[in-house]
């Protein structure tokens, strides 16, 4: 059964977001990684890229398919996790410590509009 | 939606499901990548009960097959099997099949999921008398035991004597009279066996294989690893790598006794330069000119490139190297090319350079002698 840690917020497209001061850390949920299967390649964006909410910031390639990863809200990418380039499988084994990007948000309010863990759980339970 | 007799077992094991050929089938259990590599190194079992199993009996059975199948069946010895195609007069592929010969008047034909009745209609269209065709699909469970250590697992369950001599593409037993038909064949490129038996025997056998196979690190495997393994083994998927177009100039021309001479299309195997594959169906470019389309594109997760060398999980020097996987598959193009030529495959958003190759995954064990397997793995 997929888990949704209480201290994180979630986008409807299954990214998790953690607030760390004024920086927002983004990865994909345990549910998302279990649906994708083995992740074999991560296509990361360039640092400094500015994107709108819902824009694709990269791709996750699993052994079966290729899926886009989306911005949970508008902002600038200030860091990417280069460790995933060599070890994309970390997203499968440790989805909540394998962050993908860090964002500086355009609006601090956007974080609070995301789903909490109970709401995210309800979405996958249908 | 159809389900195989093993459906509940897959469900209880938490498999990820997908619809294939009208059946709800396991795609993977825990990890398609681990399942793929485990079949190469150890052993895996696949539920392939979705395949259609037909019997053909009667005096004219052999004549009918010689008239309808791409290979001569008279030359096939009893207790041997053969791979080939059912073709239209225009050389379009209706389906591929493995035919098992008991005698000149008794055969088993195995075709793809959902194709049983179509092939029966096709065979009946030849209007031969003294032939009885029966579709066993719903009562027969089929389990593929694949990987180099499948030999030792099979010996544990069926006894060593049966495997003293068991050449590639031969079979023993029968699924009638509550027994098992066991053939030395498969769809992974690795040493393996395919087992056919009645449904109730099959559900017990599945559990037994998992229990007895624990010492060999057995894994139950889904259709995702079956697909990536078969591509790595240069094996085609019917209706994808050939189908409703002329069958000519392919890596599988050996399975047609009388190939058609044509310069309309050429099918080649390819290998990419990293693991990325196409997201959707794709086209092939050469010097910016569109020359064909992509038939199959998978991640062959047991391979990587180091300079000009292809390294697999089986390579002697692989332990120090991170195996990242390589895109692999088949293309059909409008011109002749040779191994080493490079083309671009594209789905509109991704352009990937790939190399045309004779064969995809090296060091496959499917055809190794059992003596060689014993010396390598026992």
């Amino acid at each position: 059964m997929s888990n949704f840690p209480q201290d994180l917020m979630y986008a409807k497209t299954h990214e998790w977001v953690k607030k760390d001061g004024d920086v927002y850390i983004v990865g994909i949920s345990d549910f998302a990684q279990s649906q994708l299967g083995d992740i074999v390649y991560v296509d990361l964006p360039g640092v400094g890229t500015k994107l709108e909410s819902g824009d694709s910031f990269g791709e996750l390639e699993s052994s079966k398919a290729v899926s886009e990863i989306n911005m949970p809200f508008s902002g600038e990418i200030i860091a990417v996790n280069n460790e995933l380039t060599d070890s994309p499988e970390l997203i499968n084994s440790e989805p909540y410590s394998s962050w993908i990007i860090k964002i500086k948000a355009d609006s601090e309010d956007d974080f609070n509009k995301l789903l909490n863990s109970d709401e995210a759980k309800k979405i996958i339970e249908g | 939606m159809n389900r195989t007799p093993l459906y509940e077992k897959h469900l209880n094991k938490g498999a990820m499901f997908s619809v294939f050929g009208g059946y709800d089938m396991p795609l993977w259990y825990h990890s398609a990548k681990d399942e793929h590599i485990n079949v190469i190194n150890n052993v895996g079992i696949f539920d392939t009960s979705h395949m259609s199993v037909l019997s053909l009996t009667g005096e004219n059975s052999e004549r009918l097959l010689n008239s309808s199948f791409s290979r001569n069946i008279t030359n096939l010895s009893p207790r041997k099997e053969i791979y080939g195609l059912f073709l239209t007069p225009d050389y379009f592929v209706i389906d591929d099949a493995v035919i098992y010969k008991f005698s000149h008047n008794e055969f088993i034909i195995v075709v793809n999921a959902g194709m049983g009745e179509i092939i029966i209609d096709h065979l009946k269209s030849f209007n031969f008398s003294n032939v009885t065709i029966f579709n066993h699909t719903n009562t027969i469970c089929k389990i593929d035991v694949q990987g180099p250590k499948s030999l030792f697992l099979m010996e544990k369950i069926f006894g060593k004597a049966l495997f003293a001599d068991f050449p590639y593409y031969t079979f023993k037993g029968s699924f009638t009279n509550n027994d098992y038909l066991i053939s030395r064949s498969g769809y992974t490129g690795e040493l393996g066996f395919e087992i056919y038996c009645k449904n109730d025997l099959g559900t017990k056998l599945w559990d037994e294989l998992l229990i007895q196979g624990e010492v060999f690190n057995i894994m139950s495997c889904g259709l995702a690893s079956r697909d990536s393994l078969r591509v790595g083994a240069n094996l085609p998927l019917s209706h994808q790598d050939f189908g409703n177009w002329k069958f000519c100039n392919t890596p599988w021309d050996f399975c047609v006794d009388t190939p058609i001479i044509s310069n309309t299309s050429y099918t080649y195997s390819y290998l990419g330069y990293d693991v990325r594959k196409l997201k959707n169906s794709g086209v092939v470019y050469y010097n910016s000119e569109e020359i064909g389309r992509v038939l199959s594109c998978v991640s062959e997760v047991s391979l990587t490139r180091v300079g000009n060398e292809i390294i697999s999980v089986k390579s002697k020097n692989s332990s120090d190297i991170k195996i990242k996987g390589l895109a692999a598959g088949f293309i059909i193009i409008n011109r002749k090319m040779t191994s080493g030529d490079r083309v671009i495959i594209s789905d509109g958003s991704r352009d990937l350079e790939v190399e045309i190759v004779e064969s995809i995954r090296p060091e496959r064990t499917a055809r190794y002698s059992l003596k060689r397997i014993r010396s390598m793995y026992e």
Side-chain angles (χ1 to χ4, degrees), chain A residues 36 38-43 56 58-69, chain B residues 275-280 297 299 347 349-350 352:
Chain A
L36 285 171
D38 301 296
I39 293 163
V40 293
Y41 191 91
V42 183
D43 193 14
S56 164
E59 286 175 339
L60 294 177
E61 177 131 5
S62 72
S63 55
K64 201 63 194 158
V66 184
S67 302
E68 294 191 334
I69 357 171
Chain B
V275 71
R276 287 176 301 160
K277 57 186 165 300
L278 298 184
K279 297 183 213 175
N280 305 303
C297 186
S299 299
D347 60 9
S349 64
R350 262 186 185 180
L352 305 174

Side-chain angles (χ1 to χ4, degrees), chain A residues 1 5 22-23 29 44 55 58 65 68 75-76 80 85-86 111 126:
Chain A
M1 202 55 174
D22 62 351
V23 173
S29 73
L44 295 166
D55 284 355
E68 294 191 334
E76 180 182 343
V80 298
T85 307
D86 266 344
F111 176 72

Side-chain angles (χ1 to χ4, degrees), chain B residues 125-143:
Chain B
S125 73
F126 287 81
N127 288 318
F128 276 67
S129 57
N130 295 323
V131 177
T132 304
I133 311 170
F134 190 81
N135 190 345
H136 298 267
T137 308
N138 292 335
T139 58
I140 294 299
C141 185
K142 178 171 182 286
I143 300 172

Side-chain angles (χ1 to χ4, degrees), chain B residues 53-264:
Chain B
V53 180
L54 316 174
S55 63
L56 196 63
T57 51
E59 264 323 296
N60 277 333
S61 301
E62 194 161 280
R63 265 187 65 214
L64 172 54
L65 288 175
N66 282 339
S67 302
S68 61
F69 198 54
S70 65
R71 306 189 81 167
N72 183 287
I73 298 299
T74 306
N75 297 339
L76 186 71
S77 305
R79 290 284 166 187
K80 285 194 172 175
E81 55 190 289
I82 194 165
Y83 173 75
L85 306 173
F86 289 105
L87 294 161
T88 69
D90 294 332
Y91 270 60
F92 288 20
V93 180
I94 304 167
D95 205 12
D96 59 355
V98 174
I99 294 183
Y100 294 80
K101 183 174 184 175
F102 288 88
S103 68
H104 75 281
N105 57 12
E106 188 181 359
F107 298 89
I108 298 292
I109 306 171
V110 181
V111 291
N112 283 286
M115 289 303 295
E117 292 302 317
I118 292 165
I119 294 301
I120 287 175
D121 287 347
H122 178 65
L123 291 170
K124 283 182 176 168
S125 73
F126 287 81
N127 288 318
F128 276 67
S129 57
N130 295 323
V131 177
T132 304
I133 311 170
F134 190 81
N135 190 345
H136 298 267
T137 308
N138 292 335
T139 58
I140 294 299
C141 185
K142 178 171 182 286
I143 300 172
D144 295 6
V145 187
Q146 302 281 296
K149 294 181 184 169
S150 62
L151 171 61
F152 312 120
L153 173 57
M154 293 293 283
E155 284 181 334
K156 265 180 96 176
I157 292 182
F158 294 100
K160 281 201 167 189
L162 198 63
F163 302 90
D165 180 35
F166 209 143
Y168 186 58
Y169 259 56
T170 65
F171 68 100
K172 299 182 181 189
S174 163
F175 55 70
T176 53
N177 300 326
N178 274 337
D179 204 354
Y180 305 88
L181 187 159
I182 302 173
S183 72
R184 192 185 148 192
S185 46
Y187 193 45
T188 61
E190 302 306 324
L191 176 88
F193 300 88
E194 297 177 88
I195 308 170
Y196 302 79
C197 59
K198 292 271 165 60
N199 285 342
D200 56 338
L201 283 180
T203 52
K204 287 177 198 144
L205 179 63
W206 181 265
D207 292 339
E208 186 69 6
L209 285 162
L210 286 173
I211 293 165
Q212 299 289 343
E214 217 169 308
V215 291
F216 306 115
N217 296 317
I218 195 168
M219 278 186 191
S220 42
C221 304
L223 291 189
S225 57
R226 184 169 153 86
D227 192 44
S228 52
L229 281 159
R230 68 94 190 166
V231 169
N234 253 37
L235 298 170
L237 176 61
S238 189
H239 309 289
Q240 183 168 304
D241 298 316
F242 46 63
N244 216 15
W245 63 89
K246 207 181 283 291
F247 183 88
C248 60
N249 308 316
T250 77
W252 315 291
D253 284 4
F254 67 88
C255 75
V256 178
D257 284 349
T258 320
I260 196 166
I261 308 297
S262 171
N263 60 1
T264 50

Side-chain angles (χ1 to χ4, degrees), chain A residues 5 9 12 17 23 28 32 37 47 55 57-58 63-64 79-80 82 86 95 101 110 112-113 118 120 124-125:
Chain A
M9 298 290 270
K12 283 181 184 159
V17 185
V23 173
I28 66 158
V47 171
D55 284 355
F57 68 78
S63 55
K64 201 63 194 158
V80 298
N82 286 316
D86 266 344
I101 57 167
D110 288 341
N112 298 320
K113 292 178 191 162
D118 290 339
I124 66 156
E125 285 164 359

